[in-house]
Amino acid sequence: MKIIMLGAPGAGKGTQAKQIAAKYEIPHISTGDIFRANIKNGTELGKKAKTYMDQGALVPDELTCDLVMDRIQQEDCKNGFVLDGFPRTIPQAEALDAALTKIGQTMDYAIDVDVPDENIVNRMGGRRACLNCGATYHVVFNPTKVEGKCDACGSDTVLRDDDKPETVQKRLSVYHDQTQPLIDYYQKQGILKSVDGTQPMDQVFDAIVAILGA
Ligand code: ADP
Ligand code: ADP
Ligand code: ZN
């Protein structure tokens, strides 16, 4: 099963993608997580990506596409994968389609987690991330057991630099300009499914399972 998660920053793509990956036993591929791991490890890619991410801008397609194409051709992706945060532009979607066509495959589902902008600002302000293991929490909706410490690995949880209010507004406008057109793109391909992302997390997941099959 090959799945794309669509939705605004903070809509809950990562939260749902992790659960989908666990239930359907497919890898969760998050371009944001890959970039953050590169930043943490001080790689050349990380240095380049950081300048864009800090401003709430998208990392250029040239730096993003090859990375994902390599990743989805690895052995663990042969039964499918869930893409979280990719594609984010029409050229990225076209690159993905072209790479899959070459190997005689197509994507199965594009799931749009629909959350209006008003809710997004609260979601992102309350998001706390573990930079060690990638776990995500929310101070109100999904708090850690011990304040400021990751449940999974015990490291500190932080407010991401790009989750500060100034950057969130910028990311939302980038989303509307560059990523939202993908909804139409996948609608035309006949693989778009929408879920109401304002529901509690487990209800959103139930709605997704109803689409993908139990
Ligand atoms: P969120 O989950 O809040 O939407 P992500 O972790 O997916 O955030 O992405 C964080 C940042 O990483 C983005 O704002 C962008 O700068 C960069 N990024 C992630 N995925 C992509 C992509 N597919 N194309 C370009 N930039 C990306
Ligand atoms: P995305 O990957 O789309 O940027 P996340 O999965 O990181 O979004 O979720 C953004 C924030 O909102 C996190 O703090 C997460 O714990 C919280 N969150 C996710 N889904 C829900 C939900 N259905 N209701 C309330 N909060 C949620
Ligand atoms: Zn952790």
Side-chain angles (χ1 to χ4, degrees):
M1 191 143 48
K2 294 189 289 301
I3 304 164
I4 294 165
M5 302 304 291
L6 292 176
K13 300 180 298 294
T15 300
Q16 298 302 326
K18 286 189 179 102
Q19 290 194 63
I20 294 171
K23 180 173 169 72
Y24 298 96
E25 298 180 345
I26 50 179
H28 168 210
I29 302 175
S30 157
T31 40
D33 286 351
I34 295 171
F35 289 137
R36 280 184 292 276
N38 275 274
I39 292 172
K40 197 168 161 236
N41 296 328
T43 68
E44 276 312 305
L45 173 66
K47 282 178 199 147
K48 287 186 192 149
K50 188 175 186 331
T51 59
Y52 299 95
M53 291 168 76
D54 284 348
Q55 294 172 38
L58 293 182
V59 177
D61 292 341
E62 311 84 85
L63 295 179
T64 308
C65 287
D66 290 351
L67 180 105
V68 177
M69 300 321 143
D70 287 346
R71 180 67 190 88
I72 63 175
Q73 283 169 44
Q74 286 168 24
E75 182 62 20
D76 64 333
C77 290
K78 69 176 191 311
N79 294 324
F81 46 83
V82 52
L83 291 177
D84 163 17
F86 183 95
R88 257 181 158 95
T89 64
I90 297 278
Q92 289 182 10
E94 289 170 348
L96 176 64
D97 281 344
L100 289 174
T101 303
K102 261 197 216 157
I103 52 172
Q105 298 191 9
T106 54
M107 292 303 300
D108 298 308
Y109 297 98
I111 300 177
D112 179 38
V113 183
D114 187 21
V115 176
D117 287 10
E118 308 85 89
N119 305 39
I120 293 293
V121 182
N122 282 338
R123 290 263 181 111
M124 314 270 272
R127 171 156 65 183
R128 295 293 179 273
C130 172
L131 297 182
N132 182 49
C133 76
T136 306
Y137 303 92
H138 190 283
V139 291
V140 177
F141 305 122
N142 181 24
T144 51
K145 295 197 180 78
V146 178
E147 199 185 320
K149 298 284 173 201
C150 177
D151 291 351
C153 76
S155 300
D156 290 343
T157 57
V158 297
L159 175 69
R160 276 166 41 185
D161 283 339
D162 62 344
D163 279 351
K164 303 203 166 121
E166 327 68 274
T167 321
V168 169
Q169 286 306 335
K170 165 78 179 159
R171 289 166 68 198
L172 271 175
S173 79
V174 167
Y175 167 75
H176 290 299
D177 287 350
Q178 303 205 53
T179 308
Q180 211 171 16
L182 292 175
I183 294 180
D184 215 39
Y185 181 94
Y186 289 112
Q187 175 89 57
K188 287 195 180 114
Q189 287 196 1
I191 63 168
L192 183 77
K193 305 281 174 186
S194 281
V195 294
D196 174 3
T198 64
Q199 307 172 92
M201 295 174 199
D202 33 352
Q203 288 179 31
V204 179
F205 188 60
D206 290 347
I208 292 174
V209 171
I211 292 164
L212 301 178

